[in-house]
Amino acid sequence: MGRYTSGTTGLAAAVLTALTLAPFGARSAQAQDASTWTGMRPTLNLFGNAGLIDTPTAHPMRDADLSLTLAYIASPGEDAQDMARGAVNFQIGPRLSGTFRYIVLEELGTTSPYMDRGFDVRYLLAEEGSRRPALSLGLNDLAGTGYYSSEYLVASKTFGRLRATLGIGWGRLAEIGGFDNPLSALNDAFGDRPEQDLSGGLSSGELDSSQWFRGDAALFGGVQYLATDHLILTLEHSSNSYEFEQASLDFDYKTPINVGATWRFDNGLDLSAALLHGSALTVQMNYVLNAKTPTLFPTGHGDVPPALTVRPRFSAADLGWSLQAGDLAQGSVSLDAALQAQGLELVGFGAQGRTARLRYRNISHINQARALGRAARILARHAPHDIDTFVLEPVTDYGVTATRVTLARADLEDLEQAPDGAWQSFARADLDTGFDPSVPVPFTPDFSWHISPYVMSALFDPRADLRYDAGIETGLSYQPAPGWVIAGSTQLRIYDWRDHDVSPSTASQNVPRVRTGAREYLAASRFGLQDLYVSKYMRPGPDLYARASLGYFEHMYGGVSGEVLWAPQTSKLALGAELNWVKQRAFERDLRFQDYDVVTGHVSAYLRSKGGMHYQLDAGRYLAGDWGTTLKVEREFANGIRLGAFATVTDMDTDDFGEGSFDKGISFDIPLSALTGKRGRQSIRGNFRPILGDGGARLTVPGRLYDALRDTRQGRLQTQWGEVFR
Amino acid sequence: MIGIRLGRIAAHVLVGLALSGCASDMSHQNLYDQIPGLWHAITRPGQLPAAPQTQVSSQIKSLHMTLPDQNWSATFIPVTRRDGAVTWQTGSTDAPRATLTIRNGVVIATRGLGDDLMASDTADLTRAKSGAKSATGQRTNRYLRGNGDLQSTIFICDYSRTTEQFIERCTGARTSITNTYGTSQSRQWLGPTLGYVELTFTDP
């Protein structure tokens, strides 16, 4: 579901998706005062950061802004080479932002264009005040090849329509006009910047903090003028003299002065053009989406809760009838249809006395509390009047339940239209873990299948710059009894496109090729079994969950997997442990295996924090037998958008890992409903890794416990409860 | 060169999004539903998708509603009445497309219109309409903003009356609006995205 990219996936895929979805745009400041910068977001520079043209400015983007940049630099002259740049910037919090950037240098590589990748971070030290400028600190090209390494401290101040910026930079931002590093006063070591190994080889990708803020420093700055409420003019003095481009790409550097203009549309799109260093012409497109409110239709359209049927005051209940099982069996046919109309599936339905119990699967609502409210309304419409208590249990895709909600029907009726009804209903509801081994679980076996096209792309493979596959995918899933899942999927490749042929891997021979064999898996056979497994989910205790799985878990590995998770209902913390024994599968992706096998496992801590932040720390043994730790940080929004970054450090030698040195990347999950306003759970999701290596490689297992339970844990339902009547 | 490459990427992303398949359950068919939504949103952003065509019997009271700024209109029928507020609905019973909740002729909430009026505190208006002496009052509209947060917009209003209509003139921090209420017709401002709504009640 939602598998549009996989493996080492394309930045450009998301970027281009954004291009086509540009009209969704960020909500513009519709009523802003057009004669000043108030409420206007900053412009983005050619590197994808808030800035002028080459250099940064101090003002941050708005919290949760996701900014995409595509820029093309055309150098005149026969020998000069053009450059293309793309970047994704995310304002992680009000002060911290990160950028993932790639730069395509056509002729620098040998057989294929060279693609430089890097990360930037910046932090807002001080907001602009009436007297004080905005002040930011930033580091560019971390853990990348180092061609663009620089650090800076920059201040910006607004004067009506004018905005002025002045900063001090190190590294690439100190190539001209440099002076002795003022930080040398603190420590002589700051005076020299260590030579950087720019061979782009095995040492690149490390986090080389030994260079930071060292060497000569230089000043940069500029002004921006808001000519109209759509046109911004920029004049800049840049301390980046493009030395590297002059040497390797015949860049014609004439002057440190850059001039440019930006046209700002109302939907989050900016188009800019600039004259770079007196010789090159640049065009740039930026698109900004705010993850908090990505569309003009935050409440969605066409997805309305059915009216709550209120029981008449004096009804059959007063005659003291109690419900018989037979009465319900007839009712449940239309109950199923009613649930389907609201994007839910019936899993089980039962009643005892005056209590009706409904287990349902939420197929199409991002917000689980909203799905719960819809289920309650449908139950109110179908349950006979003498039922006065509803017990609702959301069941996740793998048949796991985390929470049971008990509501009094009268409370639902009283509070549906009250102004603060949602929170009052929460106070009156009873949420518990639903752990009751003695009560038989109402359950309908579920069988589902699908056939759909798929596309898979790999953009950042260092050995071939762009490749993609398209074909037909089929899948089956069968849940014969509570807690059991049998599932499988296959892929048949129909079309593939590769820019260049495979060249030998840069990965070391010292480590098993646990992930870098990716293209062998694609090349060996058109038809492949992606996964085929059986899993059993258990609840040994109210806060304890367990899973055991056997089979082929992903296209590269199969074996056995076991996991436990301790996830107390209202706690923000969960702890888990997983142990797997897997063998590497044959390249043909059939039922056979290769010789390599490994025991992998991790202990994990999951923390949900305010502001929608999720942290996950895993420690253990990875597929190549290396030991290490992964940290993943993710921000989740109410509309289901999730954006995160991860990094793994293991005891594998960075030389053996290969180019890139350690595993790192960014992850995204953007539900289509957040962009269209129409209900549904399909999303565009994937991971970007600048380089795919064999270190820090984790097994992919379908249906891991925390992911399966994440949305329906009590704490999460509680956070979302405001939507229960929507 | 780069342009061609980017073009191919765009093509494969769009192809991936556009194609769907067959499935036994809803989770995969949801993508199929999203395609018209995506297409509509790309070609006509800022516009609500077309309204459902509801057949309405002439035997019952109905409400015709138009959003002139959105070029959108639909016919609603009453479905529930609670505490003097009537909820009108368009679309089918099990899957309504939009609802309006109206008390004493004043829209106090909408659902399904994309940027809904979540709630509205119009106590002063109700008092003024029913004949109270005061000519000024306050109105609070609530909308969903940011991360599921409710944001209040407060207006200071003054009221006046003609033989046919009751007029509410309000000024807020960024907007000034004028709502008019007649016996069977009214024009009310729903919010910054939807603009004004024109309502016409039809008795059987």
Side-chain angles (χ1 to χ4, degrees):
Chain A
M1 179 162 106
R3 188 186 8 212
Y4 304 110
T5 54
S6 78
T8 49
T9 57
L11 167 69
V15 164
L16 265 299
T17 307
L19 268 183
T20 53
L21 302 178
F24 296 104
R27 174 175 288 272
S28 68
Q30 289 152 331
Q32 74 170 50
D33 180 356
S35 66
T36 71
W37 281 91
T38 310
M40 284 266 251
R41 61 179 189 276
T43 54
L44 294 158
N45 65 17
L46 288 171
F47 291 98
N49 290 311
L52 303 169
I53 297 169
D54 259 347
T55 60
T57 55
H59 291 94
M61 302 295 282
R62 294 162 309 193
D63 183 32
D65 267 352
L66 183 67
S67 312
L68 297 147
T69 302
L70 285 182
Y72 193 84
I73 301 169
S75 287
E78 317 166 339
D79 298 325
Q81 309 299 340
D82 295 344
M83 291 174 260
R85 297 185 190 162
V88 179
N89 169 276
F90 181 48
Q91 189 71 33
I92 300 163
R95 291 184 181 267
L96 183 68
S97 85
T99 302
F100 175 57
R101 178 177 31 76
Y102 76 92
I103 296 180
V104 181
L105 303 169
E106 276 280 354
E107 306 301 326
L108 193 65
T110 46
T111 50
S112 55
Y114 174 69
M115 302 206 8
D116 188 271
R117 298 155 292 267
F119 289 98
D120 307 335
V121 290
R122 58 189 276 150
Y123 190 79
L124 177 72
L125 294 169
E127 283 180 19
E128 181 172 350
S130 52
R131 289 181 180 279
R132 186 186 63 200
L135 194 65
S136 285
L137 185 74
L139 298 145
N140 287 341
D141 205 14
L142 300 171
T145 50
Y147 286 125
Y148 300 94
S149 281
S150 54
E151 304 83 44
Y152 60 89
L153 181 68
V154 64
S156 297
K157 186 91 182 75
T158 311
F159 307 97
R161 285 180 176 265
L162 197 70
R163 207 169 237 190
T165 296
L166 183 66
I168 180 170
W170 291 262
R172 277 278 284 213
L173 284 170
E175 285 178 343
I176 59 151
F179 45 83
D180 287 341
N181 192 342
L183 293 174
S184 307
L186 294 173
N187 185 329
D188 282 338
F190 278 107
D192 293 309
R193 197 175 178 95
E195 261 307 307
Q196 192 163 18
D197 180 1
L198 293 177
S199 61
L202 299 178
S203 65
S204 72
E206 293 184 32
L207 203 66
D208 195 3
S209 57
S210 63
Q211 307 194 322
W212 292 349
F213 299 101
R214 290 179 65 176
D216 283 352
L219 293 179
F220 61 84
V223 290
Q224 286 190 302
Y225 182 68
L226 201 58
T228 72
D229 55 353
H230 288 109
L231 182 64
I232 299 163
L233 303 172
T234 304
L235 178 70
E236 175 191 50
H237 178 283
S238 166
S239 52
N240 178 348
S241 69
Y242 280 61
E243 273 175 17
F244 162 66
E245 285 82 358
Q246 287 185 64
S248 308
L249 301 170
D250 282 332
F251 185 79
D252 186 13
Y253 177 84
K254 290 196 168 107
T255 164
I257 305 291
N258 298 323
V259 292
T262 302
W263 185 268
R264 175 159 289 183
F265 292 86
D266 282 332
N267 59 0
L269 193 65
D270 284 356
L271 288 176
S272 310
L275 184 65
L276 193 65
H277 299 300
S279 70
L281 185 64
T282 76
V283 288
Q284 179 181 349
M285 189 214 76
N286 294 116
Y287 166 60
V288 180
L289 182 83
N290 187 284
K292 285 202 266 198
T293 33
T295 67
L296 293 170
F297 296 128
T299 57
H301 46 75
D303 177 33
V304 177
L308 186 70
T309 310
V310 177
R311 292 169 295 172
R313 210 155 255 289
F314 296 101
S315 64
D318 299 328
L319 296 178
W321 291 356
S322 70
L323 202 60
Q324 305 298 323
D327 299 340
L328 290 169
Q330 279 182 324
S332 66
V333 171
S334 58
L335 178 67
D336 194 15
L339 286 168
Q340 295 241 343
Q342 284 294 318
L344 307 170
E345 264 184 8
L346 179 66
V347 175
F349 181 39
Q352 237 178 337
R354 298 167 83 116
T355 300
R357 189 173 172 191
L358 176 68
R359 301 178 102 227
Y360 66 91
R361 194 176 294 119
N362 171 15
I363 300 288
S364 55
H365 296 267
I366 294 292
N367 187 300
Q368 292 285 355
R370 190 188 292 198
L372 188 94
R374 302 294 172 94
R377 286 168 184 268
I378 289 165
L379 208 49
R381 182 185 294 277
H382 287 83
H385 290 170
D386 60 331
I387 299 279
D388 59 20
T389 304
F390 293 159
V391 175
L392 297 157
E393 277 183 273
V395 176
T396 63
D397 293 338
Y398 295 95
V400 199
T401 63
T403 306
R404 178 174 63 189
V405 180
T406 306
L407 295 167
R409 191 175 189 173
D411 289 337
L412 208 60
E413 294 166 351
D414 290 341
L415 298 171
E416 187 217 1
Q417 291 192 351
D420 196 26
W423 295 108
Q424 289 183 56
S425 69
F426 181 76
R428 296 191 202 176
D430 187 20
L431 273 73
D432 62 51
T433 62
F435 181 74
D436 214 340
S438 60
V439 174
V441 172
F443 183 86
T444 322
D446 179 69
F447 177 72
S448 69
W449 57 269
H450 75 274
I451 300 175
S452 55
Y454 76 91
V455 249
M456 244 169 53
S457 67
L459 187 59
F460 293 127
D461 191 313
R463 289 169 289 288
D465 64 332
L466 175 64
R467 59 202 306 117
Y468 65 85
D469 298 37
I472 306 274
E473 170 185 273
T474 64
L476 283 179
S477 170
Y478 180 47
Q479 294 186 25
W484 286 95
V485 177
I486 303 170
S489 68
T490 65
Q491 277 186 359
L492 174 66
R493 185 178 70 250
I494 292 179
Y495 178 74
D496 67 88
W497 185 78
R498 274 127 180 73
D499 201 20
H500 294 279
D501 287 333
V502 173
S503 46
S505 156
T506 65
S508 151
Q509 301 305 309
N510 298 336
V511 296
R513 293 185 60 218
V514 292
R515 283 295 183 213
T516 53
R519 81 189 45 71
E520 277 89 325
Y521 280 99
L522 290 178
S525 158
R526 277 194 177 276
F527 178 78
L529 180 72
Q530 289 297 103
D531 53 57
L532 179 65
Y533 62 93
V534 54
S535 283
K536 171 81 171 107
Y537 290 86
M538 295 152 276
R539 270 185 98 170
D543 294 330
L544 213 53
Y545 301 83
R547 169 184 64 79
S549 305
L550 168 75
Y552 303 86
F553 301 131
E554 48 148 293
H555 65 293
M556 290 191 192
Y557 293 95
V560 292
S561 170
E563 187 187 1
V564 291
L565 181 74
W566 175 74
Q569 277 304 298
T570 48
S571 170
K572 295 191 201 295
L573 180 70
L575 298 173
E578 178 182 285
L579 191 65
N580 316 302
W581 173 76
V582 288
K583 272 178 88 89
Q584 192 167 23
R585 291 179 59 190
F587 289 130
E588 288 79 11
R589 290 178 295 154
D590 51 19
L591 299 175
R592 299 171 296 164
F593 289 98
Q594 300 185 44
D595 290 330
Y596 181 73
D597 72 295
V598 64
V599 173
T600 90
H602 291 82
V603 292
S604 304
Y606 309 87
L607 183 68
R608 190 169 56 84
S609 171
K610 66 176 171 55
M613 300 298 297
H614 283 257
Y615 303 91
Q616 182 176 338
L617 188 70
D618 307 304
R621 190 172 198 235
Y622 295 84
L623 283 169
D626 46 332
W627 292 84
T629 314
T630 301
L631 175 66
K632 180 171 178 180
V633 177
E634 186 180 71
R635 186 166 176 192
E636 182 170 11
F637 297 89
N639 49 34
I641 292 179
R642 295 182 185 175
L643 299 163
F646 56 89
T648 303
V649 176
T650 69
D651 64 357
M652 180 181 284
D653 200 277
T654 51
D655 289 341
D656 288 333
F657 183 92
E659 193 182 346
S661 302
F662 67 96
D663 186 56
K664 54 199 172 288
I666 59 179
S667 66
F668 63 95
D669 185 337
I670 302 177
L672 291 177
S673 62
L675 300 175
T676 61
K678 208 164 171 343
R679 183 181 77 207
R681 290 189 77 188
Q682 289 288 359
S683 61
I684 301 168
R685 70 173 80 118
N687 292 312
F688 298 137
R689 286 184 159 86
I691 295 286
L692 183 68
D694 292 313
R698 197 163 176 205
L699 178 70
T700 302
V701 179
R704 280 197 162 107
L705 285 169
Y706 189 76
D707 292 329
L709 292 171
R710 185 172 157 163
D711 286 339
T712 53
R713 289 176 68 202
Q714 181 178 335
R716 180 94 174 105
L717 265 182
Q718 186 171 333
T719 315
Q720 295 186 324
W721 198 268
E723 298 253 337
V724 75
F725 288 130
R726 290 189 196 146
Chain B
M1 272 303 287
I2 292 174
I4 294 173
R5 199 165 290 124
L6 292 180
R8 283 187 212 235
I9 297 167
H12 97 246
V13 166
L14 293 177
V15 158
L17 288 177
L19 296 176
S20 76
C22 311
S24 65
D25 65 16
M26 250 187 293
S27 55
H28 292 262
Q29 281 165 344
N30 268 337
L31 173 62
Y32 205 61
D33 288 339
Q34 295 282 357
I35 302 305
L38 275 177
W39 178 252
H40 170 91
I42 291 169
T43 53
R44 288 186 297 152
Q47 286 263 299
L48 284 173
Q53 299 304 313
T54 315
Q55 295 294 55
V56 175
S57 151
S58 56
Q59 316 270 330
I60 56 169
K61 193 162 175 153
S62 70
L63 164 62
H64 188 76
M65 174 259 219
T66 307
L67 292 167
D69 292 343
Q70 287 282 331
N71 210 20
W72 198 89
S73 66
T75 306
F76 289 65
I77 55 172
V79 288
T80 61
R81 170 188 284 277
R82 304 268 299 282
D83 297 330
V86 178
T87 298
W88 300 74
Q89 173 181 296
T90 189
S92 72
T93 311
D94 285 320
R97 294 292 301 277
T99 63
L100 294 170
T101 305
I102 299 177
R103 178 185 285 132
N104 296 327
V106 182
V107 176
I108 59 170
T110 72
R111 292 291 183 275
L113 295 177
D115 187 10
D116 290 310
L117 177 67
M118 300 306 285
S120 184
D121 182 357
T122 50
D124 288 348
L125 172 61
T126 310
R127 270 195 292 276
K129 273 184 105 194
S130 54
K133 289 246 178 61
S134 96
T136 62
Q138 183 175 295
R139 168 194 263 274
T140 308
N141 286 357
R142 290 189 175 81
Y143 303 96
L144 205 60
R145 289 290 174 268
N147 231 357
D149 301 326
L150 274 180
Q151 181 194 89
S152 297
T153 310
I154 301 177
F155 295 88
I156 308 296
C157 306
D158 59 63
Y159 311 112
S160 57
R161 196 185 286 272
T162 69
T163 44
E164 288 146 8
Q165 293 180 327
F166 184 90
I167 301 167
E168 180 193 14
R169 253 182 224 92
C170 299
T171 313
R174 296 182 167 193
T175 338
S176 293
I177 59 177
T178 304
N179 298 332
T180 53
Y181 306 90
T183 40
S184 62
Q185 293 194 318
S186 64
R187 184 168 185 267
Q188 308 180 38
W189 189 81
L190 290 182
T193 310
L194 298 174
Y196 282 94
V197 64
E198 285 163 11
L199 304 173
T200 308
F201 293 88
T202 308
D203 283 333

